[in-house]
Amino acid sequence: MNLSKILFLFVAVLVALSGCDTNNIADTNQTMPSRNWSYANKVKVVVDIKDSNKLFNIYFKLRHTADYRYSNIFVLFNVKSPKKKRNRRYEFKLAQADGQWNGSGSGNLYTYTFPLLTNFKFPAPGKYELELEQNMRDNPLKEISDVGIKVVSVN
């Protein structure tokens, strides 16, 4: 192999490894059928917590079209362990009073990442199911493209 090929391979490996985020424990994204998020279509992820002294940030990821009817969204977030279930209702602002979307736009889609829990400690080691469900009056909630949950360990 000549030097230019070795240098190219080294740079390619370096670029590939730099894109990895080792702090991500989970990162899910669920596409909503026909851009309709129904009550029954809950987004879930299971995380296996080994160290209950570690801190985690948990995020709600959302993508909607420009035709979404509301300037906000309500969601229910559930944390289930074998012994206990904890839930909380959140409201997130998606648009300004003038109708300008807060999310980053790409074509007709707007993307958001909202914090649900920051510097959160799971009470004990074990498996936890994290679940998101929409909590708006409309069922299904139209023009929601994707919903996800992201869990990141805090260093």
Side-chain angles (χ1 to χ4, degrees), residues 28-72:
T28 64
N29 217 36
Q30 184 174 326
T31 301
M32 294 300 136
S34 302
R35 293 190 316 265
N36 291 317
W37 190 9
S38 72
Y39 294 146
N41 204 355
K42 299 174 184 177
V43 177
K44 299 177 187 176
V45 66
V46 175
V47 293
D48 190 7
I49 303 302
K50 306 279 187 212
D51 182 358
S52 61
N53 292 317
K54 285 187 93 171
L55 298 174
F56 296 91
N57 291 337
I58 304 172
Y59 300 96
F60 163 46
K61 299 183 339 178
L62 173 72
R63 225 190 288 169
H64 68 79
T65 70
D67 296 327
Y68 181 70
R69 292 178 36 183
Y70 303 103
S71 64
N72 68 341

Side-chain angles (χ1 to χ4, degrees), residues 7-104:
L7 185 59
F8 174 77
L9 284 174
F10 176 75
V11 170
V13 169
L14 188 63
V15 168
L17 291 176
S18 68
C20 299
D21 186 352
T22 58
N23 290 337
N24 275 358
I25 305 303
D27 193 354
T28 64
N29 217 36
Q30 184 174 326
T31 301
M32 294 300 136
S34 302
R35 293 190 316 265
N36 291 317
W37 190 9
S38 72
Y39 294 146
N41 204 355
K42 299 174 184 177
V43 177
K44 299 177 187 176
V45 66
V46 175
V47 293
D48 190 7
I49 303 302
K50 306 279 187 212
D51 182 358
S52 61
N53 292 317
K54 285 187 93 171
L55 298 174
F56 296 91
N57 291 337
I58 304 172
Y59 300 96
F60 163 46
K61 299 183 339 178
L62 173 72
R63 225 190 288 169
H64 68 79
T65 70
D67 296 327
Y68 181 70
R69 292 178 36 183
Y70 303 103
S71 64
N72 68 341
I73 189 166
F74 286 94
V75 296
L76 293 176
F77 179 61
N78 303 304
V79 178
K80 298 177 188 175
S81 71
K83 297 179 182 179
K84 190 177 179 182
K85 180 180 176 183
R86 169 184 170 176
N87 59 20
R88 183 171 170 195
R89 186 175 194 231
Y90 291 87
E91 177 185 13
F92 295 105
K93 187 176 176 183
L94 304 178
Q96 300 297 317
D98 65 0
Q100 182 72 28
W101 295 112
N102 293 332
S104 60

